[in-house]
Amino acid sequence: MQKIIILDFGSQTTQLIGRRVRELDTFCEIMPYNKYPEDGSDVIGVILSGSPFSVHDPEGFKPDLSRFVGRLPVLGICYGAQYYSYANGGKVEKTDTREYGRANLAYIDKTDKLFAGFDDNSQVWMSHGDSITAIPNDCRCIASTADVQYAAYASTEKPVWAVQFHPEVFHSVQGTQLLRNFVVDICGSRQDWSADSFVETTVNELKAQIGTDRVILGLSGGVDSSVAAVLLNKAIGDRLTCIFVDHGMLRKNEFRDVMEDYKCLGLNVIGIDASEKFFADLAGVTDPEQKRKIIGRDFVEVFNAEAKKIKDAKWLAQGTIYPDRIESLNITGKVIKSHHNVGGLPEEMHLSLCEPLKWLFKDEVRRVGRSMGMPEHLITRHPFPGPGLAVRILGDITREKVRILQDADDIYIRGLRAYKTRLSGEHARAVLAAGVPADMENGEIEVSLYDQIWQAGTVLLSTVRSVGVMGDERTYEHPVALRAVTSTDAMTADWAHLPYDFMAKCSNEIINKVKGVNRVCYDISSKPPSTIEWE
């Protein structure tokens, strides 16, 4: 299968480059900057990502590019562009002004394949302190801004192109056009990577991999495990047994609703209400890390006890997706994040691991779900923490606190789904690229607030009480905090700018209808420095 290799120099937008390439129906792999594959026979092009480093930093990443430069088309982005110039006789220098944010291409060589179809003064997104002040002898300038002479350059002797801006971000208005020009027109992609082709190929691969064996899958109600289950069900039918554990800290009516959804999908699901065990083991525990460990331990115990009843099972399936497995580099080049899905299996289970979604990004998982006809409300569900509402309750966990939070959160989430807004321009493109189904009309789309944000939830500040007045009586009850963030991969996130009229209505409804709450706050913290979840 054809593929593009993206060499990661530590940029926060490397995964976004990957998603943009996949949106062009082209398979790609993200690999550490120094791990170009030994067998590159199916590689049709290479992209060099950005980086938090300067090329002048002693610890900056400086790999040998000779294995593919001159043999395959190469596109350097930001640091990738600067490093190629630096390594081939050009010059990269600190400048008086750091260029960050929107810029316009004052000069574009539209005869170059990379800029075919570009408009004059096309807007791009810059993010660099250093700047290329001289390019290699065999290169020529193909784009400039008012402040940056070499906004883009190309080799006259080798298939090498480089840009100092970020075409992968939405603020680069014709960034997708540039990537299309590179991936399709320059690299020659056949564009045969799609949701439909993935389903067909994966179902056949699962049949060959599993044979006549039985598979166990732990369901969470989230989109990843649900799509994995439907894929496996298409491949092996009732030889798939799904286990859905209710630890008592799901959202309001979630266990009942999700079980009904799975029944409609024709899945063989065992639902287990283990809430008594979880509440008993969490009694009096306030430390968030301790809560997570107890819930994780109890989940494994409950899941394993049920799984052992399926005597002939040979496989354990997981909804692991591609971002879970990509090495995330910090400035020292060490892995800084491991994922809960990426680890060893309990030894006593003696099961082989099956991960049918391991090559997909989140938006691709949703496209695959739609390709298989899954209901939209399952596909567009926001991420939800494994420990559930336990990490959205500050302090110890009780059934009453969970009830309060479930009621408040239900009002909030239903409100987000019901509130529609019209979007245009960059915001509309971002929502459509994320796979949200919407029809463009006069350059605008109408979508719910829920579909515009990455994740939303409510936090109960159960360790805090605030004074309020209801009727003529004084109250002394808990505040709740509403959280909503926009993101592409949860590595970074910004707080969502929800409409004031929506927040006013939501706050009023929560305070009036949820006994135990007399104050509603809105969390306007971004990640970093905060995290998406409070605990």
Side-chain angles (χ1 to χ4, degrees):
M1 178 173 54
Q2 290 183 323
K3 65 182 174 185
I4 299 287
I5 292 294
I6 300 169
L7 294 182
D8 183 13
F9 288 83
S11 171
Q12 290 186 340
T13 61
T14 300
Q15 288 194 30
L16 191 53
I17 300 171
R19 290 177 61 214
R20 296 290 172 261
V21 173
R22 295 279 186 89
E23 287 166 8
L24 296 170
D25 299 326
T26 304
F27 185 67
C28 68
E29 276 192 67
I30 297 172
M31 310 190 76
Y33 69 97
N34 58 351
K35 293 186 178 178
Y36 184 80
E38 290 297 324
D39 178 13
S41 58
D42 51 358
V43 179
I44 60 172
V46 180
I47 296 176
L48 312 177
S49 84
S51 175
F53 287 119
S54 161
V55 295
H56 300 295
D57 291 340
E59 66 271 36
F61 305 132
K62 299 179 176 67
D64 178 9
L65 308 180
S66 62
R67 290 187 58 194
F68 50 84
V69 168
R71 187 175 65 83
L72 293 170
V74 176
L75 174 63
I77 295 176
C78 198
Y79 180 90
Q82 294 176 356
Y83 176 65
Y84 182 85
S85 179
Y86 170 85
N88 289 276
K91 188 177 289 185
V92 178
E93 297 181 297
K94 294 283 186 185
T95 56
D96 294 334
T97 57
R98 181 174 184 264
E99 192 166 40
Y100 180 83
R102 292 173 176 85
N104 293 91
L105 297 178
Y107 161 71
I108 305 172
D109 181 357
K110 297 182 185 179
T111 66
D112 190 275
K113 291 181 180 180
L114 194 67
F115 286 103
F118 260 59
D119 300 329
D120 292 336
N121 297 309
S122 186
Q123 177 184 291
V124 296
W125 183 263
M126 295 282 191
S127 180
H128 59 91
D130 294 354
S131 192
I132 298 169
T133 56
I135 55 179
N137 291 334
D138 69 333
C139 293
R140 63 187 184 88
C141 176
I142 55 174
S144 305
T145 70
D147 298 316
V148 176
Q149 180 180 359
Y150 300 111
Y153 66 88
S155 171
T156 58
E157 299 177 3
K158 302 169 187 172
V160 174
W161 289 261
V163 297
Q164 286 202 84
F165 55 89
H166 287 271
E168 70 273 20
V169 303
F170 284 105
H171 303 296
S172 291
V173 174
Q174 291 183 281
T176 298
Q177 178 69 41
L178 185 147
L179 291 172
R180 178 185 295 277
N181 290 343
F182 178 73
V183 171
V184 179
D185 297 335
I186 293 173
C187 296
S189 169
R190 292 191 294 265
Q191 294 186 281
D192 52 9
W193 172 264
S194 65
D196 289 346
S197 67
F198 175 83
V199 171
E200 180 181 358
T201 301
T202 303
V203 166
N204 289 332
E205 288 176 351
L206 289 170
K207 288 178 178 178
Q209 177 187 23
I210 295 166
T212 59
D213 296 340
R214 183 171 291 280
V215 180
I216 301 171
L217 170 66
L219 286 170
S220 67
V223 60
D224 298 338
S225 65
S226 298
V227 171
V230 174
L231 260 175
L232 280 158
N233 190 53
K234 287 177 72 71
I236 64 172
D238 61 8
R239 285 183 287 112
L240 169 68
T241 301
C242 303
I243 300 174
F244 184 23
V245 177
D246 180 9
H247 49 37
M249 288 153 284
L250 300 172
R251 283 177 163 152
K252 187 173 183 178
N253 299 324
E254 186 167 27
F255 185 69
R256 180 199 68 194
D257 293 345
V258 170
M259 285 295 290
E260 187 60 33
D261 282 331
Y262 288 149
K263 182 179 178 181
C264 293
L265 289 171
L267 298 177
N268 176 25
V269 184
I270 299 171
I272 304 169
D273 181 357
S275 57
E276 289 291 344
K277 174 179 176 58
F278 283 88
F279 279 112
D281 290 348
L282 286 168
V285 177
T286 59
D287 179 75
E289 189 60 25
Q290 189 70 7
K291 288 182 197 175
R292 288 181 177 273
K293 288 180 178 178
I294 290 170
I295 292 170
R297 180 201 68 201
D298 283 5
F299 178 86
V300 169
E301 288 180 5
V302 173
F303 183 88
N304 287 359
E306 193 63 37
K308 287 177 181 176
K309 297 176 184 177
I310 307 169
K311 300 298 184 182
D312 56 344
K314 300 287 182 64
W315 298 84
L316 176 67
Q318 291 184 336
T320 311
I321 64 174
Y322 194 38
D324 300 338
R325 304 186 304 117
I326 297 172
E327 292 185 46
S328 299
L329 301 174
N330 70 3
I331 59 173
T332 66
K334 297 178 181 177
V335 176
I336 58 172
K337 180 188 176 187
S338 59
H339 191 273
H340 64 276
N341 274 350
V342 185
L345 301 174
E347 291 184 8
E348 68 275 11
M349 292 185 70
H350 304 294
L351 298 177
S352 299
L353 186 61
C354 176
E355 297 173 306
L357 307 181
K358 65 182 180 181
W359 290 110
L360 299 186
F361 289 98
K362 178 72 79 172
D363 48 343
E364 292 177 308
V365 174
R366 293 190 168 111
R367 291 191 188 99
V368 167
R370 291 190 182 99
S371 175
M372 297 188 296
M374 292 176 61
E376 195 65 28
H377 68 271
L378 265 182
I379 294 169
T380 58
R381 279 174 59 94
H382 288 175
F384 188 65
L389 300 180
V391 293
R392 294 181 180 175
I393 296 174
L394 305 192
D396 66 327
I397 308 298
T398 66
R399 284 191 180 273
E400 175 60 12
K401 290 178 181 179
V402 170
R403 191 276 307 166
I404 292 172
L405 184 53
Q406 284 177 332
D407 288 347
D409 187 71
D410 184 57
I411 291 170
Y412 179 38
I413 298 300
R414 283 192 292 104
L416 288 170
R417 289 187 181 278
Y419 194 103
K420 307 284 186 180
T421 62
R422 298 195 69 81
L423 301 177
S424 61
E426 294 173 2
H427 298 297
R429 291 202 310 276
V431 170
L432 291 172
V436 175
D439 294 325
M440 184 77 75
E441 183 178 333
N442 298 322
E444 291 185 331
I445 60 173
E446 183 178 74
V447 291
S448 70
L449 287 177
Y450 186 89
D451 286 335
Q452 294 175 44
I453 59 183
W454 172 268
Q455 187 171 342
T458 310
V459 180
L460 176 64
L461 284 64
S462 72
T463 57
V464 177
R465 289 182 181 270
S466 66
V467 174
V469 177
M470 293 186 181
D472 293 324
E473 296 184 1
R474 174 185 182 274
T475 63
Y476 193 51
E477 296 178 331
H478 299 297
V480 295
L482 307 182
R483 182 79 158 131
V485 298
T486 58
S487 182
T488 57
D489 54 18
M491 297 293 288
T492 61
D494 195 12
W495 60 276
H497 295 225
L498 300 181
Y500 286 161
D501 61 330
F502 166 78
M503 290 195 287
K505 183 177 184 296
C506 187
S507 172
N508 188 59
E509 189 173 354
I510 289 173
I511 291 172
N512 285 339
K513 293 184 177 180
V514 182
K515 184 179 180 181
V517 175
N518 67 353
R519 193 176 299 270
V520 175
C521 310
Y522 187 59
D523 183 347
I524 59 170
S525 310
S526 296
K527 175 188 179 181
S530 299
T531 54
I532 295 177
E533 298 294 343
W534 278 42
E535 288 194 342

